[in-house]
Amino acid sequence: MINIADVARHAGVSTATVSRALSGGHHVSPATRLRVEASATHLGYVVSSNASSLASGRMKNIGVVVPFLNHWFFASVVEGAQQALQRHGYDLTLYNLTGGLEARRSVFEHFLLRQRVDAVIAVSLELTENEVARLHALNKPLVGVGGPLAGVRTLTVDDLAVARLATEHLIALGHTRIAHIGGDKAFDLDFNLPTNRRFGYEAALVAAGIEARRDDFRPADFTTAGGYQAAKQLLGRPHERPTAIFAASDEMAIGSILAARDLGLVVPRDVSVIGVDDHELATFFGLSTVAQFPQQQGEKAVEVLMEELRPHPESRTGLNVNMPFELIVRGSTARPAV
């Protein structure tokens, strides 16, 4: 049976170097690490998880905490993180906070504080000072996705700018009666994402000299069904029906397209629709959207986390990393009918 000494002889290094290289330890050059990994692969050597954790003090396991898993965006972030962690030889343990405050308390006061994970990625969660302090006290690196966290390295998408871009696209097409489907109070707890997108929408209208009307806003739950119901209320009005809808997520935008069709309206002739995300079904529905690349966010979060676990000062990124977004125009938006 191949052991660590065999790998050391094949790679021309000490057993201690093999141990550090394969456990993610410090003070091993990239070239040496690659040589050791190549020797281990060639010989078929598999690191014992128990031995590795005893030697390095690490479990090779990362905790990823999400508020919901039944939404495409969060599932895509997790998928990107999982693929990146796998490339680095780490496992992923997922904590889903669908259960609300009690589930959150259980995760942060019990599960993450046990010696089960080496570090934590928090997705779209505005952590409290106490939650951050508990993790830092146990020397568990933390990376946030979705908004700034004091003293924590985070990845952020500018939701104000995202919403402005989507709304400005509709304004540029000539729309002046633009409705908005945003989030309800349940989705405004962390980083105020729905509020920020609504502010961005309203700011774009005001800058164009268009009144932001209260009755042109409807809250929903970021699902297709929620967007469908909200759009039916907006488009079913007998007077002053909007000619365009900006939905704060693609799932709600897709629901809006289905609602318009059920009301006998043609998209985009009678109503233009734009969303946010670039959902996997966006192309199928011909949906114009602002892509925010969630899978890339998950991959980048792992990249930043690896810098924390294996720090290299020369490659360290800043405390807050602004993530890209992009307007993608498809067939669901057009100039309003004359």
Side-chain angles (χ1 to χ4, degrees), residues 26-336:
H26 304 166
H27 312 303
V28 179
S29 71
T32 300
R33 191 185 305 280
L34 288 173
R35 189 163 78 250
V36 170
E37 290 174 348
S39 294
T41 300
H42 176 76
L43 297 173
Y45 176 70
V46 178
V47 180
S48 163
S49 59
N50 289 335
S52 177
S53 63
L54 287 172
S56 66
R58 291 183 182 163
M59 299 299 296
K60 301 290 283 186
N61 186 31
I62 303 299
V64 178
V65 189
V66 297
F68 306 96
L69 196 57
N70 60 340
H71 291 193
W72 175 84
F73 173 82
F74 298 115
S76 297
V77 174
V78 171
E79 181 181 2
Q82 189 275 329
Q83 291 176 355
L85 286 170
Q86 190 173 43
R87 291 195 295 269
H88 287 281
Y90 279 78
D91 293 320
L92 180 153
T93 297
L94 180 64
Y95 297 95
N96 180 9
L97 304 187
T98 305
L101 292 177
E102 189 56 39
R104 179 169 181 153
R105 188 177 301 111
S106 179
V107 166
F108 282 97
E109 292 185 4
H110 301 290
F111 293 104
L112 291 178
L113 299 185
R114 297 173 186 172
Q115 300 301 316
R116 292 183 174 182
V117 299
D118 299 320
V120 176
I121 297 173
V123 182
S124 295
L125 292 168
E126 192 169 1
L127 304 185
T128 67
E129 289 184 11
N130 184 53
E131 289 169 342
V132 172
R134 281 170 173 259
L135 292 171
H136 284 171
L138 292 175
N139 197 31
K140 292 185 186 293
L142 171 65
V143 171
V145 178
L149 294 169
V152 176
R153 299 181 73 189
T154 56
L155 313 182
T156 304
V157 172
D158 188 338
D159 287 304
L160 278 166
V162 165
R164 284 195 71 142
L165 180 59
T167 309
E168 286 168 350
H169 168 64
L170 298 173
I171 294 170
L173 289 172
H175 292 278
T176 58
R177 192 66 190 264
I178 303 169
H180 176 48
I181 300 176
D184 57 25
K185 291 182 180 179
F187 290 86
D188 212 30
L189 298 176
D190 294 289
F191 300 123
N192 305 118
L193 181 149
T195 296
N196 287 334
R197 289 190 181 167
R198 185 176 179 181
F199 284 168
Y201 151 79
E202 292 175 345
L205 293 181
V206 171
I210 302 171
E211 180 185 359
R213 306 188 187 193
R214 181 173 296 181
D215 59 352
D216 282 340
F217 169 76
R218 288 290 185 279
D221 60 358
F222 282 80
T223 67
T224 301
Y228 178 90
Q229 293 299 330
K232 268 223 166 170
Q233 299 305 309
L234 290 166
L235 298 175
R237 297 190 308 220
H239 305 292
E240 297 185 316
R241 188 180 70 215
T243 63
I245 293 176
F246 160 49
S249 77
D250 279 355
E251 290 177 73
M252 294 194 294
I254 289 169
S256 301
I257 291 175
L258 296 175
R261 291 177 181 176
D262 283 356
L263 289 169
L265 302 175
V266 177
V267 176
R269 186 193 69 193
D270 300 316
V271 58
S272 288
V273 179
I274 189 169
V276 176
D277 280 337
D278 201 23
H279 189 283
E280 59 187 356
L281 292 177
T283 301
F284 177 81
F285 280 92
L287 178 65
S288 294
T289 187
V290 178
Q292 57 173 342
F293 313 108
Q295 191 163 337
Q296 182 181 332
Q297 291 184 35
E299 293 174 351
K300 183 64 176 180
V302 170
E303 179 184 322
V304 173
L305 199 59
M306 289 301 110
E307 292 179 6
E308 294 291 298
L309 290 169
R310 296 190 296 215
H312 298 286
E314 68 279 2
S315 64
R316 184 182 174 94
T317 55
L319 194 62
N320 185 60
V321 179
N322 290 315
M323 298 299 290
F325 54 89
E326 178 184 351
L327 175 66
I328 298 178
V329 180
R330 298 190 177 99
S332 67
T333 53
R335 295 188 64 82

